[in-house]
Short mmCIF file of all heavy atoms in Angstrom, two decimals:
data_model
loop_
_atom_site.label_atom_id
_atom_site.label_comp_id
_atom_site.label_asym_id
_atom_site.label_seq_id
_atom_site.Cartn_x
_atom_site.Cartn_y
_atom_site.Cartn_z
N SER A 1 0.87 -1.22 0.03
CA SER A 1 0.02 0.02 -0.02
C SER A 1 0.85 1.22 -0.01
O SER A 1 0.32 2.36 -0.30
CB SER A 1 -0.95 -0.08 1.23
OG SER A 1 -0.26 0.07 2.46
N SER A 2 2.12 1.18 0.44
CA SER A 2 3.00 2.29 0.41
C SER A 2 3.76 2.48 -1.01
O SER A 2 4.55 3.43 -1.11
CB SER A 2 4.02 2.22 1.53
OG SER A 2 4.96 1.21 1.20
N PHE A 3 3.57 1.65 -1.88
CA PHE A 3 4.32 1.72 -3.10
C PHE A 3 3.48 2.29 -4.22
O PHE A 3 2.35 2.05 -4.44
CB PHE A 3 4.66 0.26 -3.59
CG PHE A 3 5.67 -0.45 -2.83
CD1 PHE A 3 5.91 -1.85 -2.92
CD2 PHE A 3 6.46 0.22 -1.89
CE1 PHE A 3 6.73 -2.54 -2.17
CE2 PHE A 3 7.33 -0.44 -1.07
CZ PHE A 3 7.58 -1.77 -1.19
N ALA A 4 4.16 3.12 -5.02
CA ALA A 4 3.64 3.48 -6.25
C ALA A 4 3.87 2.31 -7.35
O ALA A 4 4.95 1.70 -7.28
CB ALA A 4 4.24 4.71 -6.83
N ILE A 5 2.94 1.98 -8.18
CA ILE A 5 3.01 0.98 -9.11
C ILE A 5 2.98 1.42 -10.42
O ILE A 5 2.25 2.38 -10.78
CB ILE A 5 1.83 -0.12 -8.81
CG1 ILE A 5 1.83 -0.65 -7.42
CG2 ILE A 5 1.99 -1.15 -9.90
CD1 ILE A 5 3.10 -1.38 -7.13
N ALA A 6 3.92 0.93 -11.37
CA ALA A 6 3.81 1.35 -12.69
C ALA A 6 4.06 0.15 -13.64
O ALA A 6 4.42 -0.93 -13.41
CB ALA A 6 5.11 2.38 -12.88
N TRP A 7 3.72 0.53 -14.92
CA TRP A 7 3.85 -0.42 -15.98
C TRP A 7 4.68 0.22 -17.17
O TRP A 7 4.48 1.32 -17.59
CB TRP A 7 2.56 -0.88 -16.64
CG TRP A 7 1.73 -1.76 -15.76
CD1 TRP A 7 0.81 -1.36 -14.85
CD2 TRP A 7 1.87 -3.16 -15.62
NE1 TRP A 7 0.31 -2.41 -14.17
CE2 TRP A 7 0.80 -3.58 -14.61
CE3 TRP A 7 2.54 -4.19 -16.24
CZ2 TRP A 7 0.68 -4.95 -14.30
CZ3 TRP A 7 2.43 -5.50 -15.88
CH2 TRP A 7 1.56 -5.83 -14.93
N PHE A 8 5.66 -0.48 -17.54
CA PHE A 8 6.54 -0.11 -18.65
C PHE A 8 6.57 -1.08 -19.62
O PHE A 8 6.14 -2.35 -19.40
CB PHE A 8 8.02 0.14 -18.26
CG PHE A 8 8.23 1.30 -17.36
CD1 PHE A 8 7.87 1.19 -16.00
CD2 PHE A 8 8.76 2.60 -17.87
CE1 PHE A 8 8.03 2.33 -15.12
CE2 PHE A 8 8.99 3.58 -17.09
CZ PHE A 8 8.59 3.58 -15.74
N ARG A 9 6.89 -0.83 -20.90
CA ARG A 9 6.93 -1.91 -21.90
C ARG A 9 8.08 -1.61 -22.95
O ARG A 9 8.64 -0.56 -23.03
CB ARG A 9 5.56 -1.95 -22.78
CG ARG A 9 5.50 -0.65 -23.53
CD ARG A 9 3.96 -0.71 -24.36
NE ARG A 9 3.84 0.49 -25.13
CZ ARG A 9 2.71 0.77 -25.67
NH1 ARG A 9 1.64 -0.05 -25.54
NH2 ARG A 9 2.62 1.77 -26.49
N GLN A 10 8.63 -2.77 -23.50
CA GLN A 10 9.79 -2.78 -24.36
C GLN A 10 9.42 -3.55 -25.61
O GLN A 10 9.23 -4.82 -25.46
CB GLN A 10 10.99 -3.13 -23.73
CG GLN A 10 12.16 -2.91 -24.59
CD GLN A 10 13.48 -2.97 -23.86
OE1 GLN A 10 13.55 -3.51 -22.78
NE2 GLN A 10 14.53 -2.37 -24.34
N ALA A 11 9.35 -3.06 -26.80
CA ALA A 11 9.11 -3.86 -27.90
C ALA A 11 10.41 -4.11 -28.58
O ALA A 11 11.44 -3.51 -28.34
CB ALA A 11 8.29 -2.99 -28.94
N PRO A 12 10.52 -5.22 -29.44
CA PRO A 12 11.80 -5.46 -30.11
C PRO A 12 12.37 -4.38 -30.81
O PRO A 12 11.77 -3.63 -31.63
CB PRO A 12 11.40 -6.57 -31.11
CG PRO A 12 10.22 -7.20 -30.43
CD PRO A 12 9.48 -6.19 -29.80
N GLY A 13 13.61 -4.20 -30.68
CA GLY A 13 14.38 -2.91 -31.24
C GLY A 13 14.01 -1.65 -30.83
O GLY A 13 14.47 -0.60 -31.42
N LYS A 14 13.28 -1.44 -29.73
CA LYS A 14 12.85 -0.19 -29.23
C LYS A 14 13.27 -0.07 -27.79
O LYS A 14 13.55 -1.03 -27.10
CB LYS A 14 11.29 -0.01 -29.39
CG LYS A 14 10.85 -0.02 -30.76
CD LYS A 14 9.29 0.16 -30.74
CE LYS A 14 8.98 1.77 -30.37
NZ LYS A 14 7.54 1.95 -30.46
N GLU A 15 13.27 1.22 -27.31
CA GLU A 15 13.71 1.51 -25.95
C GLU A 15 12.44 1.14 -24.95
O GLU A 15 11.33 1.18 -25.54
CB GLU A 15 14.10 2.91 -25.75
CG GLU A 15 15.37 3.24 -26.64
CD GLU A 15 15.76 4.79 -26.38
OE1 GLU A 15 14.99 5.42 -25.72
OE2 GLU A 15 16.80 5.24 -26.92
N ARG A 16 12.83 0.93 -23.78
CA ARG A 16 11.60 0.87 -22.71
C ARG A 16 10.98 2.01 -22.71
O ARG A 16 11.57 3.20 -22.65
CB ARG A 16 12.33 0.43 -21.48
CG ARG A 16 11.30 0.25 -20.37
CD ARG A 16 12.06 -0.09 -19.03
NE ARG A 16 12.97 1.10 -18.58
CZ ARG A 16 13.90 1.07 -17.59
NH1 ARG A 16 13.89 -0.11 -16.94
NH2 ARG A 16 14.49 2.04 -17.39
N GLU A 17 9.60 1.93 -22.58
CA GLU A 17 8.95 3.19 -22.47
C GLU A 17 7.78 3.08 -21.33
O GLU A 17 7.34 1.98 -21.16
CB GLU A 17 8.19 3.47 -23.83
CG GLU A 17 7.17 2.50 -24.26
CD GLU A 17 6.39 2.89 -25.55
OE1 GLU A 17 6.49 4.05 -25.95
OE2 GLU A 17 5.78 2.05 -26.19
N PHE A 18 7.45 4.16 -20.81
CA PHE A 18 6.40 4.28 -19.82
C PHE A 18 5.11 3.98 -20.32
O PHE A 18 4.79 4.50 -21.44
CB PHE A 18 6.54 5.67 -19.17
CG PHE A 18 5.41 5.94 -18.34
CD1 PHE A 18 5.32 5.37 -17.00
CD2 PHE A 18 4.30 6.83 -18.56
CE1 PHE A 18 4.37 5.67 -16.11
CE2 PHE A 18 3.30 7.07 -17.85
CZ PHE A 18 3.24 6.45 -16.48
N VAL A 19 4.40 3.27 -19.64
CA VAL A 19 2.93 2.98 -19.96
C VAL A 19 1.92 3.72 -19.10
O VAL A 19 1.14 4.58 -19.44
CB VAL A 19 2.57 1.54 -20.00
CG1 VAL A 19 1.17 1.34 -20.34
CG2 VAL A 19 3.45 0.90 -21.05
N ALA A 20 2.08 3.40 -17.73
CA ALA A 20 1.01 3.94 -16.72
C ALA A 20 1.62 3.75 -15.43
O ALA A 20 2.41 2.93 -15.05
CB ALA A 20 -0.30 3.31 -16.86
N ALA A 21 1.12 4.65 -14.41
CA ALA A 21 1.60 4.57 -13.09
C ALA A 21 0.42 5.02 -12.23
O ALA A 21 -0.43 5.86 -12.56
CB ALA A 21 2.76 5.51 -12.82
N ILE A 22 0.41 4.57 -10.89
CA ILE A 22 -0.59 4.86 -9.99
C ILE A 22 0.09 5.01 -8.64
O ILE A 22 0.97 4.14 -8.28
CB ILE A 22 -1.67 3.83 -9.90
CG1 ILE A 22 -2.90 4.27 -9.02
CG2 ILE A 22 -1.19 2.44 -9.46
CD1 ILE A 22 -4.15 3.48 -9.09
N THR A 23 -0.24 6.02 -7.84
CA THR A 23 0.50 6.25 -6.60
C THR A 23 0.08 5.47 -5.58
O THR A 23 -1.01 4.82 -5.78
CB THR A 23 0.31 7.76 -6.24
OG1 THR A 23 -1.09 8.05 -6.09
CG2 THR A 23 0.96 8.75 -7.38
N TRP A 24 0.66 5.42 -4.42
CA TRP A 24 0.34 4.51 -3.35
C TRP A 24 -1.08 4.64 -2.80
O TRP A 24 -1.66 3.74 -2.37
CB TRP A 24 1.27 4.86 -2.15
CG TRP A 24 1.26 6.06 -1.50
CD1 TRP A 24 1.97 7.21 -1.81
CD2 TRP A 24 0.50 6.29 -0.31
NE1 TRP A 24 1.61 8.16 -0.95
CE2 TRP A 24 0.66 7.67 -0.05
CE3 TRP A 24 -0.38 5.69 0.42
CZ2 TRP A 24 0.09 8.38 0.94
CZ3 TRP A 24 -1.09 6.28 1.42
CH2 TRP A 24 -0.87 7.64 1.70
N SER A 25 -1.60 6.02 -2.79
CA SER A 25 -2.83 6.17 -2.29
C SER A 25 -3.91 5.94 -3.43
O SER A 25 -5.11 6.01 -3.11
CB SER A 25 -2.95 7.67 -1.89
OG SER A 25 -2.86 8.59 -2.96
N ALA A 26 -3.56 5.62 -4.58
CA ALA A 26 -4.34 5.54 -5.74
C ALA A 26 -5.13 6.84 -6.04
O ALA A 26 -6.12 6.80 -6.78
CB ALA A 26 -5.44 4.39 -5.56
N GLY A 27 -4.60 7.95 -5.42
CA GLY A 27 -5.28 9.24 -5.79
C GLY A 27 -4.90 9.83 -7.11
O GLY A 27 -5.57 10.73 -7.54
N ASN A 28 -3.76 9.37 -7.72
CA ASN A 28 -3.33 9.88 -8.89
C ASN A 28 -2.85 8.86 -9.76
O ASN A 28 -2.19 7.75 -9.35
CB ASN A 28 -2.06 10.87 -8.60
CG ASN A 28 -2.57 12.13 -7.85
OD1 ASN A 28 -3.26 12.83 -8.42
ND2 ASN A 28 -2.11 12.16 -6.66
N ALA A 29 -3.17 8.97 -11.07
CA ALA A 29 -2.73 8.02 -12.05
C ALA A 29 -2.13 8.85 -13.30
O ALA A 29 -2.59 9.79 -13.61
CB ALA A 29 -3.87 7.12 -12.55
N TYR A 30 -1.30 8.11 -13.94
CA TYR A 30 -0.59 8.80 -15.08
C TYR A 30 -0.47 7.86 -16.23
O TYR A 30 -0.22 6.63 -15.97
CB TYR A 30 0.80 9.21 -14.62
CG TYR A 30 0.85 10.09 -13.42
CD1 TYR A 30 1.11 9.52 -12.18
CD2 TYR A 30 0.66 11.44 -13.47
CE1 TYR A 30 1.08 10.19 -11.01
CE2 TYR A 30 0.61 12.18 -12.27
CZ TYR A 30 0.82 11.66 -11.01
OH TYR A 30 0.79 12.38 -9.84
N TYR A 31 -0.65 8.34 -17.40
CA TYR A 31 -0.64 7.47 -18.58
C TYR A 31 0.24 8.15 -19.77
O TYR A 31 0.18 9.34 -19.96
CB TYR A 31 -2.14 7.31 -19.17
CG TYR A 31 -2.99 6.58 -18.14
CD1 TYR A 31 -3.74 7.20 -17.30
CD2 TYR A 31 -3.03 5.26 -18.22
CE1 TYR A 31 -4.57 6.66 -16.41
CE2 TYR A 31 -3.80 4.52 -17.40
CZ TYR A 31 -4.69 5.22 -16.52
OH TYR A 31 -5.48 4.55 -15.60
N ALA A 32 0.85 7.29 -20.48
CA ALA A 32 1.49 7.70 -21.74
C ALA A 32 0.49 8.12 -22.74
O ALA A 32 -0.56 7.63 -22.73
CB ALA A 32 2.34 6.63 -22.35
N ASP A 33 0.73 9.17 -23.55
CA ASP A 33 -0.25 9.61 -24.45
C ASP A 33 -0.67 8.46 -25.46
O ASP A 33 -1.89 8.56 -25.80
CB ASP A 33 0.33 10.78 -25.33
CG ASP A 33 0.43 12.04 -24.60
OD1 ASP A 33 -0.21 12.10 -23.45
OD2 ASP A 33 1.21 12.88 -24.94
N SER A 34 0.17 7.53 -25.73
CA SER A 34 -0.19 6.47 -26.62
C SER A 34 -1.24 5.62 -26.21
O SER A 34 -1.81 4.86 -26.90
CB SER A 34 1.10 5.65 -27.00
OG SER A 34 1.70 5.20 -25.95
N VAL A 35 -1.35 5.49 -24.83
CA VAL A 35 -2.45 4.49 -24.29
C VAL A 35 -3.58 5.28 -23.61
O VAL A 35 -4.59 4.61 -23.06
CB VAL A 35 -1.70 3.52 -23.34
CG1 VAL A 35 -0.51 2.88 -24.00
CG2 VAL A 35 -1.24 4.28 -22.01
N LYS A 36 -3.53 6.53 -23.46
CA LYS A 36 -4.53 7.21 -22.74
C LYS A 36 -5.92 7.07 -23.39
O LYS A 36 -5.95 7.18 -24.62
CB LYS A 36 -4.15 8.77 -22.76
CG LYS A 36 -5.10 9.63 -21.79
CD LYS A 36 -4.43 11.03 -21.63
CE LYS A 36 -3.10 11.00 -21.05
NZ LYS A 36 -2.63 12.33 -20.86
N GLY A 37 -6.83 6.76 -22.58
CA GLY A 37 -8.11 6.41 -23.09
C GLY A 37 -8.38 5.00 -23.45
O GLY A 37 -9.64 4.54 -23.62
N ARG A 38 -7.38 4.19 -23.56
CA ARG A 38 -7.35 2.74 -23.88
C ARG A 38 -7.07 1.87 -22.61
O ARG A 38 -7.65 0.79 -22.50
CB ARG A 38 -6.58 2.50 -24.97
CG ARG A 38 -6.88 3.24 -26.38
CD ARG A 38 -6.21 2.72 -27.59
NE ARG A 38 -4.67 2.83 -27.43
CZ ARG A 38 -3.79 1.91 -27.30
NH1 ARG A 38 -4.33 0.58 -27.49
NH2 ARG A 38 -2.59 2.07 -27.22
N PHE A 39 -6.10 2.28 -21.93
CA PHE A 39 -5.63 1.54 -20.77
C PHE A 39 -5.97 2.19 -19.48
O PHE A 39 -6.21 3.38 -19.44
CB PHE A 39 -3.97 1.46 -20.84
CG PHE A 39 -3.41 0.67 -22.03
CD1 PHE A 39 -4.21 0.16 -22.94
CD2 PHE A 39 -2.03 0.45 -22.00
CE1 PHE A 39 -3.62 -0.49 -23.96
CE2 PHE A 39 -1.56 -0.33 -23.01
CZ PHE A 39 -2.26 -0.82 -24.01
N ALA A 40 -6.07 1.32 -18.45
CA ALA A 40 -6.55 1.77 -17.15
C ALA A 40 -5.67 1.07 -16.06
O ALA A 40 -5.65 -0.19 -16.13
CB ALA A 40 -8.04 1.68 -16.82
N ILE A 41 -5.01 1.81 -15.27
CA ILE A 41 -4.20 1.16 -14.17
C ILE A 41 -4.96 1.33 -12.89
O ILE A 41 -5.65 2.20 -12.66
CB ILE A 41 -2.91 1.93 -14.10
CG1 ILE A 41 -1.98 1.13 -13.05
CG2 ILE A 41 -3.08 3.41 -13.66
CD1 ILE A 41 -0.57 1.65 -13.09
#
């Protein structure tokens, strides 16, 4: 419950990129523009 949780992804031949994150309180969530509106953390 004290941890912020995030998801990253890495495609073949590409750099690791941020996908989404949620803070420990679940009060704030952040999304990459490429997944906003499609993914939910």
Side-chain angles (χ1 to χ4, degrees):
S1 62
S2 70
F3 293 165
I5 303 295
W7 292 91
F8 292 78
R9 67 187 182 187
Q10 188 165 24
K14 298 182 66 177
E15 297 179 358
R16 181 183 62 190
E17 65 175 346
F18 169 77
V19 177
I22 187 167
T23 57
W24 67 269
S25 67
N28 293 290
Y30 309 95
Y31 297 93
D33 289 341
S34 60
V35 306
K36 192 172 296 182
R38 300 189 297 120
F39 292 8
I41 189 169

